[in-house]
Amino acid sequence: MILLIILLIPFLTGSFLFLFRNNSSIRFVALAASVVNLLLTLLLAFSASASNFAINWINFMGVQFALGYDGISLIMLILTNLLFPFILLAGFNRDQKNVSQLNFLILSTQSALIGVFLAQNAFLFYVFWELALIPVYFILLIWGGDGRRSITLKFFIYTLTGSLFLLFGIIYLYHLTPGNHSTDFAIFRQLHIPESNQIWLFWILFIAFAIKMPVFPFHTWQPSTYTMAPTQGVMILAGVMTKMGIYGALRFLFPIVPLGVLYWQNTIIILSLIGVVYASTIAFRQSNLKKLVAYSSMAHISLMVAAMFVQNQFALQGLLFQVISHGVTIVALFYLVLIIKEKTGTQEFQQMGGLKLKAPQMSIIFLIVVLGSIALPLTAGFVGELLMITGLFRQSAWFAFIGGTTMILGAIYMLYAYQRVMLGEEKSTHEKITDLKSLDYLILVPLIAIILVLGIYPQPIFNLVEESVRSMQNLLSPIATVVSAIVH
Amino acid sequence: MIPHMNLALLVPALPLLGFLITGLGYKRFRNNQAGIIASSAVGLSFLISLSSLFVLRNSGQDSATLTLFNWISVGKMNIPFAFLIDHLSLTMMLIITGVGTLIHIYSIGYMHADNRVNSFFAQMNLFTFSMLLLVMGANYLILFIGWEGVGLCSYLLIGFWFENPAFNYAARKAFVMNRIGDLGFILGIILLFFTFNSVSFSEVFAQASSFQVGAPVITLITMLLLVGAVGKSAQIPLFTWLPDAMAGPTPVSALIHAATMVTAGIYMIARSSVLYILAPTTLTLITIIGLATALLGAIIGLKQNDIKKVLAYSTVSQLGYMFIALGVGAFSTAVFHVTTHAFFKALLFLGAGSIIHAMGGEQDIRKMGGLRTKMPVTYWTFLAATLAISGIPPFSGFFSKDLILSKAFEHNFILYILALGGALLTSFYMFRLLYLVFFGEQRLAGSHPHESPKVMTIPLIILAILSVFGGFLNVPTLFGGDSNFGVFLQKAMTSFSGEELSHTTEISLILISSLLIGLVILFAYRTFVTKVLVPKADGEPMSFFGKFITNKFYIDEFYATIFEKPFRFLSGFLYQKIETTILNPAIEGIGVATLKLGELVRKIQRGNMSFYFFAMVAGILLFIIFILTI
């Protein structure tokens, strides 16, 4: 039952926001709901007893409304419910139009995302997957920046196309199930589809996730969308929605089409590693801070995808750790981009510089987040990347080397960005700039605290996911052994 | 478990505390308060390091491991947050906190007029903490935390005067070049983990004996670790960041870019001596890199006119000597040279700081001169350090450098000749510096140099005493000593037990090198004092070789051409050509084709936002009711 409550709180609260007239009470109610949800999630994560929820839903299709979770879902759930209070806080005291609509849409997205991570069958997963797209579409379209119409359209068509493939894949799987048919993940897992079919089915299922994450070369919607999106929108997209892709891949590909995964494994790893180097190299070229951060996010996600496909314990635990770490870091980064924009009136490096003189506190916080992003030891980013690179190394030392170039390239573009914004001579346009306000501390201090605490003491997260990672490996390893026995 | 050993945990904890206090309260401290707090933190750490040494000696054991908690535990990977206290780490701890305290105190005087002095001390304390983590870590990953931490502090302190874009560029260059090395280092650690199922020193070294000399995997591991050491210790090809790092305040150059951080690579290889002894190929490579760097640094040093640049290239060169020692398997000798070098090079930099302070920020030695009488304390201490670095007996540098030369002689005669040649160049450029700065007439009109305050000169005097007598830590048997220091370190490291040189050979080597060095100093005196030859001003015509050396062999330009420019080009090419011109339109083309289809259903979409919302909420509510009623 607690799962259903967690699922519904944001959406139901959001639906009642229309009753309030005062913008600050709307925001406060929305925030309160998300904080309650976070507390419930933590309660769930650290309670010993498992919880699930299921009722019959569409009987003739054999579809249940079934919610449940394992360690992987839990990580995603924690990430979502951890980030949304900060995403909502980012709207406080800011001049926005249609506050109740905006908060409603944000909370709806949260509910849909929770649904994606808790769904126990593919049908329900798909419903929530699509539902999550709708409010985000409106957030981008109404509150977005220049060129929002065409960019949002591109984003929408892009993701919808991926979804159609996924829907086709789900229907195909549904027809393969025996007896009265079912869309339960548990039943999908036992299908044992012949390898020749898994090879094409892999792509049918993967496209949607590849677009969402995104994997090179399915990423071209992302930089422009991130740059145009309102801050809260981009926080949702980069912080949580990219992880929908990772989660979907973990749910669908590895358990259901393991032979397809083995067949395409190296292809995807190589594409992802190209993505790491490609996005990092392009990031250096950007003249716009927000776009640079967008490409940096793509580089980091690409490394996570590569780690996901090597499928060993180090890589998987590192990946799931990095899910939290990347989410927290990228949300903090985009918030900093927002306040820099508010203070300087620009995102172009040309017009920035010397902010540290006027806002030393902000520069320190920005630096810590930058260091988290470039994986300095004792930040969460290091722990995640260390394990992922270790996992890649086990597959191939070259993979680890190319993935590891993110250490160098990340330092090149992030420190470049830091210098252009914070260091150097003060710009004359900066005269009236003040340092951080208390709201900014309220958002940024907890986020950097998480970055540092997880970097120093990461073990609780590992313990949370260890069992799920092991069972996922157990799913794959017998098959891998069989395959390698046949091959050799 | 040794009683009272936990006290050693305070050694890194105190500078961390100092960092937090000065860092979080940087707005509140006035005058010298932050400097006093920071200096006391490091000073106390020194006293505790010293007492830890006695605790360890009295316990009769060789080492102690202090475990705080389990940092990362995933599958077979178990990495405790643990410290290892043995003779090697204690040596480094004493150098870091001892020399560090003096430099902190000196900085109170040097930085007193800077309006960001509080954050300066916060960063210095953070550096000290990271450096202690580096040398105290009980496994490669804790070492790596410190390793990257000192890199960060180095970045921050090089760019301390952040208004200047050139300084910021130098800071980034240092960080990125170090990161290149760090990638090799971390891959080495990962391979080490897969080879030994552990990254902790004790377990790795215990298992290493099961590998044969020259085992490929060990060679690969040691090579990868070496990449990290080459970056951090500024060896060819990753050395060009160090001279640029002189952009930082001079005490920073003394502490980070001379006495401590840059020797981290030497520490790491000495720490891994058990592995390196199994990899003769890597050792040969280390010798070659060290020799090449020692000579290159010394040759470039001949033509530099910025006082800090001369010292920077001298540091590059001396680090090369330490690499030679490592390469010939004389690990404890390398650490001995780290120690004496920390004394005399810190002294040289602090002396240079005192001079720059007195000259109102001027760093060009062509504009100095005649400072001997105006700044007597600085002069005498600087002279002591110059004698030490030149290897004149019985100053500290003599004992360590001579030991390196004799080990080189044991190893290979050509190596010895080249290393000796480098030592002669060292004496020449150092005495050139000394004579130009302190002798002759004052060349900068209108300046009134004065001796620095006591808070700066007292650290100079203490370091001078150490530079003069520091060598007696390790008096060889030749002079009736018993190589205390080497024996002390043997408990923490292994080494080649090559043939001992006969005393006659040793004495003749010493006589030859001392004689030659004496001649070089005389030559420098005749050139720069008797003939009063001042190096040419910038822009005057020079011989081909002179120009080549003055421009540092055009290595910076070379790297810019083969790395920086292609990277910039690639970055632009990928963005403007691939991303914008090819990928985007290709995908959009597919989109447009789909859109044409979409026009058929366009009629339903009227663009009424509230209708959409209404439909959405109604739909979802119905959906929930639907679920709950079934």
Side-chain angles (χ1 to χ4, degrees), chain B residues 203-220:
Chain B
E203 289 172 38
V204 169
F205 302 152
Q207 291 176 51
S209 51
S210 62
F211 286 86
Q212 282 183 335
V213 173
V217 66
I218 301 289
T219 306
L220 189 55

Side-chain angles (χ1 to χ4, degrees), chain A residues 11 55 57 65 101 154 158 219 278 281 285-286 291 295 361 374 377 407 419 424 455-456 458-459, chain B residues 27 69 71 73-75 148 162 168 172 179 571 575 579 584 587-588 609 613 617 620 623 626-627 630:
Chain A
F11 176 72
I55 50 170
W57 185 24
F65 191 91
Q101 289 183 8
K154 184 168 153 191
Y158 229 123
H219 66 275
Y278 179 83
T281 311
R285 184 68 179 197
Q286 299 309 310
K291 213 162 184 177
Y295 276 107
Q361 313 264 3
I374 63 177
M407 273 179 68
Q419 178 182 337
I456 295 166
Q459 203 55 39
Chain B
K27 276 185 177 163
F69 59 92
W71 184 35
S73 174
V74 170
E148 290 253 293
F162 60 81
N168 293 325
R172 276 200 291 139
R179 272 255 158 148
S571 184
Y575 182 55
E579 179 88 346
N584 244 330
I587 306 268
E588 257 162 36
M609 208 57 69
F613 280 154
V617 176
I620 295 172
F623 170 82
F626 183 55
I627 305 162
I630 286 176

Side-chain angles (χ1 to χ4, degrees), chain B residues 405-442:
Chain B
L405 289 176
S406 68
K407 297 278 181 189
F409 185 83
E410 284 173 37
H411 205 73
N412 182 318
F413 184 67
I414 296 168
L415 177 66
Y416 168 76
I417 293 292
L418 290 172
L420 178 62
L424 298 180
L425 294 176
T426 308
S427 335
F428 183 77
Y429 68 70
M430 280 314 299
F431 274 91
R432 168 183 178 266
L433 178 66
L434 183 86
Y435 292 143
L436 283 170
V437 172
F438 290 102
F439 288 68
E441 296 294 312
Q442 188 185 327

Side-chain angles (χ1 to χ4, degrees), chain A residues 320-341:
Chain A
L320 291 169
F321 186 86
Q322 192 70 355
V323 160
I324 301 264
S325 155
H326 174 266
V328 172
T329 311
I330 203 74
V331 161
L333 264 177
F334 276 119
Y335 187 72
L336 282 157
V337 172
L338 170 70
I339 50 181
I340 289 166
K341 168 88 189 268

